Amino acid sequence: MEIQGVVDQIVYKNDDNGYVVLKLKTKDDLIAAVGYVPFITEGQRIKIEGEWVIHPTFGQQVKIKSCEEILPSNIEGIERYLSSGLIPGIGPVTAKNIVKKFGEDSLDIIEMNPGKLKEVDGIGEKKAFAISEAFKEQRELKNVMVFLQTYGVSTAYGIKIFKKYGQNTINTVRENPYKLCEDISGIGFKTADRIARNLGMPLNSIERAKAGIKYILYSFTANGHTYLPMKNLLFESKRLLNIPEEIIKEAVSISAASKDIVIEGEEYSSTNVYLSSFYYAELGVARRLIEISLSGTEKNLYGIDEEINSYEKENNIEFADEQRQAITAGVKEGLCIITGGPGTGKTTIIKCMIRIFEKMGLTVVLGAPTGRAAKRITETTGREAKTIHRLLEMEFISSDDSPSFVRDEGNPIEADVIIIDEASMIDILLMNSLLKALAPGAKLILVGDVDQLPSVGPGNVLRDMIESKVITTVRLRHIYRQADESLITVNAHRINDGEMPFLNDRDKDFFFIQKNANHEIVDEILDLIKNRLPFFKDGFDPIKDMQILSPTRKGEIGIYNLNKRIQEILNPPSKDKAERDLKDFIFREGDKVMQIKNNYNLEWTKINGSGEASGTGVFNGDIGYIKEIDNENKRLLVVFDDDRQVYYDFINLDELELAYAITIHKSQGSEFKVVLIPISYGPPMLMTRNLIYTAVTRAKDLVVLVGLKQALYVMINNNTITERFSNLKQRIINFVSLIK
C-alpha cells in the first residue's frame, strides 16, 4: 500500500533510533503512521509504503516499511521545509529570506546554483556553498538512513557511517558489516553483528570470527593491556561468538597471516596475542630505550657540581643529596627517569637542569601528555611546554583513531634535550611515537610519579621501565615543598606509605567530613559547593576552582548522578541560556565539560596565550566550558582551559560529558585548587591506595573528603595494583642481555 501526504504532527520521536509516531494529512483523511523514519519534520511531504495494523491502545495505524520525501513545490511548503532545521545553516529567518527572494525556485537555486544565495541577507559565499552541500547530502543521507535504521543503527551513528563511506555506504555494509567495528568509532562488534545476522550472514563465518577476535583484543587494550594470553583470547572468543573453538583458531591463524594480529611464543597454549600496532610499538619502545640509554654524555660534564652550587646560591635554596643525584643523572645519562610524589622538588630540579643544559649550549624542549599538564609546567618553570602531540606535530588525517605525526625517524624533533613531565600518563603507542622522533644523540628525561594510577591508554610504561632496573632512575622520597604549611603534601605521602592522613586541623588544608549514607555524602558535597566553600578563606569559584573526583561513574556517588545534581544548582535552566537535550543529560551554555576520547581531527583555534594559533586534535581528559550552543547550525562551542576553542557538530556530542564531577582516572595530569572526594565502599578494584593517592595529589589549595572513614582506611590499606598484560619490562631486559 502506498500513501502520499503532508506530515501534520509528530506525536513521538526517538532521536536515537529514528522511530516516530506521526499524523499524516492526505488528500482525504488524517491517518496515524509509525516506523523508523529519520530526519522527519512537520510540514514535509512524503510517500510511504506500509500496511494497516491495529494497535491495542491507539487503534488503526499504518506501519511504515519505506518512506520517500517529496520535495514541496509551493512557497508555503518550501518555507516550512527550509525552516525545519534539517539543513544546517538555515533557520526560520534565513528560510523566510530565501523564499522571499527566490519563491518556488528556492530549492533549485540551493541545489543547482548556490552562488545566487549570496543575494540573500546574511549569507556569504562560504555559507552559501555549505548550505548547498548540506542540502544535497541530506537527500543522499536519507536513503542510507532508511537502510541502516532497518538494522537498528541509531541516527547519530548512521550519520557517522555515511560520512565515512558516502555513496558506497549501503554496498559496504552489505558486503562486510564487520568493517563498522574498525572504521566507526563507537560501533562495537555487537552492533555490527546484529546487522550481519539481519543480512543473513552465518553465525560461524570466518569474517565474523575475525571481527570478534579483533574486538576482544581492542576491548582489552581499553583496560590497559597490550596483549592477551592465547588461553584468555580463546575463552573470551567462545563466550562472545558461541562458535566451535576450531573456527576461532582458524580465524586467529588467518588474522596472523594477514598481519592483523601477532602471535608470540612457541607453545600454542602459552602464546600471547597482540594487535599488530601494539606488538610493534612495544618492541620499538624497548629497542629505542636501550639505544638512548647507551648514548650518555661524556663531554662537558666537568663542573656540574659548581653549576648546581651556583643555582642554589642564586635561588636561595639548598638541594638534598637525592636532588643533586637527580640533576647529575639527568645531565649525564642519555635516558633518565626522575620519580617522586608532590613536594619532592621535581619542578626545581627541572629548572636547574634547563639552566645547566643551556650553559652547555644544548637546546631544551619541555612536554607533557595533556594540555592541562603542559600548561602547569609552563606556569611553574616559566618555559613554554607543549603536549607530546604538539611536539610531534600531529597531522590532520581522515581516521579519527590513528594519529599521524610529522616528526619521526626521518624528521626528528629539533632539540638536544627533551624533558617530559607527568610521564606516568604515557601509554605504549604514544611512547613509541615519541622515541622514534628523538634525534640521534638527543637526551630524554622522564619526570613523573610512578605511584599514581597508570596511563588510561594501554601499557604500563613508566612502571615497566623502572622495574626493569636497566634504566637510570632516581626516586625522590623526601618532602621539601610546603611541608610546614600544607597537609596536602604531607598526607599524600602518608597515604602512599600506607598511613592514615592527618585530618581536620583548623588552620590547614585537608579535611574529612563523616557521612554514613551515600545520599548524605552527595547532599554534603552539594552544600559545600553551593554554600560553604565559596566563602572559605579567600573564596573559591564553584565551577572553575572546585573539582569533584569520584572513584566511580555509576551509583549515587558516581559522576553521572553527581553531574546532574551539581548542574541543577550551579547552572540551572535559564531563558538566556541555550541548551541541547541529549539521551541521558542536558548540555547548557556555561556547563563544564570534558572530552572523553581522543579526536585527532577536531580543529581548534587559540583565543589567548602563546603557541600556535590553530591546529587539530582534542584529547581524552581535556576540560573546558560551553560558550555557545547554536541550535540553528547544529553545533556548540567549547573553550578549553588552555584557551583553545573548538566547534562540535551535534553528531559528535557523544565525545563530551559534563565535568563538574569526573573520575579519578580522568583527573591524571591535572591540578585543581579544590578537590572534593566522596568516600564509600565499592568494587575492590576501586578501593585501592593508588586511586585515593592520585585523587589527593590533584589538589593545590584544599582537599575535602566526604564519607566513611572506615572506607578510607580500607583504600589506604589496599596496595593492590591491577595487573596489566604488558611485556615491556621483559623486552627491555632481553635487549640488554643480547647486548651483553
Side-chain angles (χ1 to χ4, degrees), residues 38-50:
F39 305 109
I40 197 76
T41 60
E42 294 175 358
Q44 277 185 279
R45 180 169 291 277
I46 59 174
K47 179 173 70 176
I48 62 173
E49 289 187 11

Side-chain angles (χ1 to χ4, degrees), residues 184-195:
I184 310 300
S185 176
I187 291 188
F189 173 82
K190 293 179 181 178
T191 300
D193 198 40
R194 184 176 66 249
I195 297 170

Side-chain angles (χ1 to χ4, degrees), residues 78 102 106 149 258 269 418-419 460 484 486 542 573 593 633 643 684 711:
I78 292 170
F102 302 114
S106 295
Q149 294 285 354
S258 63
S269 60
I418 297 174
I419 302 174
N460 208 2
D484 294 332
S486 174
V593 292
N633 292 306
D643 295 322

